[in-house]
Amino acid sequence: MGKGGSLSDSVLKKILLSYTYVAIWIFLSFTVIVYNKYILDKKMYNWPFPISLTMIHMSFCATLAILLIKVFKFVEPVSMSRDVYLKSVVPIGALYSLSLWLSNSAYIYLSVSFIQMLKALMPVAVYSIGVLLKKENFKSNTMANMISISVGVGIAAYGEARFDTWGVFLQLGAVAFEATRLVMIQILLTSKGITLNPITSLYYVAPCCLAFLSIPWIFVEYPVLKESSSFHFDFVIFGTNSLCAFALNLAVFLLVGKTSALTMNVAGVVKDWLLIAFSWSVIKDTVTPINLFGYGLAFLGVAYYNHAKLQALKAKEAQKKAQQADEEAGRLLEGREGEGNTKRTESED
């Protein structure tokens, strides 16, 4: 087929790989969410201990990360000073532990579909916190878009058949802590030139999360578990659940590393619709027309937000290419001027 054919083949291969990464991430994210709901929901597996479940995940992920880095040398550890760890990783670990604790707790009180609708507020939280911490510039059109997403989520909440105030509070808290964590990663780690893949991030962050979670666990869940003599640790359920959580961390790195964070945001919207459909058809959660209308409005806002980010990235890339072209042209011009000066010097001689 010649050069044109080989180029189209490589492009096709790249597209297929991107869709494969997206599919893997959606599948694992979907699986972890439904699995956690199954374990925590009182009507299903009936083990309503979200802190304990999160600690099991963190223990499993930390152990695997340590083995992969220290024993099997699969990944090189990142060079990090004690000062950077205390000032950067510890705050991020604290926020991550709070986000996981509250989000897992919400599954006890809310349906999977409604939780996905509330998660549409994530761009609103990230943008608002970014503006407050001066990492984002305030733009009236972006804020108007954030308001439209919030209104959509508000309508979805109004139409929720199984509305639980405490559950909504927990999920909104999880969104706020997760958004703060994402902004803090940008501020604390990116500014210091530190990049962590999922294995190294779990190596540093998971033990930190475990330490933070152990404090509320001792006072909230440990006394209840101690009195519950009927509970026996199910290695199959908790082992496969933890393995899915670890695999999801790897899938996040694969998706973002091979495509972009924007692709993950778009894939997240697809995953949310799939979860809403699954929640309604399989788990038999009630999804009302007002739910769908509200989430549809929020979905349009999120889609526009992702589109605006894509346009901004394209404009930035075009500007970068134009700058590189100008620099290249400048170097060529300097080279020609240098040649001209050399020739004039030779003719004078």
Side-chain angles (χ1 to χ4, degrees), residues 127-173:
Y127 179 73
S128 302
I129 292 166
V131 169
L132 284 173
L133 298 178
K134 297 182 179 178
K135 291 302 294 182
E136 293 274 359
N137 295 322
F138 179 84
K139 295 177 182 177
S140 55
N141 60 337
T142 305
M143 186 50 73
N145 184 29
M146 297 298 109
I147 291 169
S148 73
I149 294 171
S150 303
V151 169
V153 172
I155 293 170
Y158 177 77
E160 175 59 21
R162 282 184 56 199
F163 187 90
D164 185 284
T165 305
W166 179 240
V168 171
F169 175 77
L170 289 170
Q171 185 54 47
L172 292 180

Side-chain angles (χ1 to χ4, degrees), residues 159-220:
E160 175 59 21
R162 282 184 56 199
F163 187 90
D164 185 284
T165 305
W166 179 240
V168 171
F169 175 77
L170 289 170
Q171 185 54 47
L172 292 180
V175 168
F177 284 123
E178 179 62 12
T180 308
R181 183 182 77 91
L182 294 173
V183 175
M184 291 289 276
I185 287 172
Q186 187 182 358
I187 294 171
L188 297 175
L189 294 182
T190 310
S191 62
K192 291 180 172 60
I194 298 170
T195 54
L196 299 174
N197 63 45
I199 297 173
T200 51
S201 67
L202 288 172
Y203 175 78
Y204 288 110
V205 175
C208 186
C209 283
L210 203 56
F212 279 111
L213 287 166
S214 64
I215 299 167
W217 180 77
I218 289 169
F219 297 102
V220 178

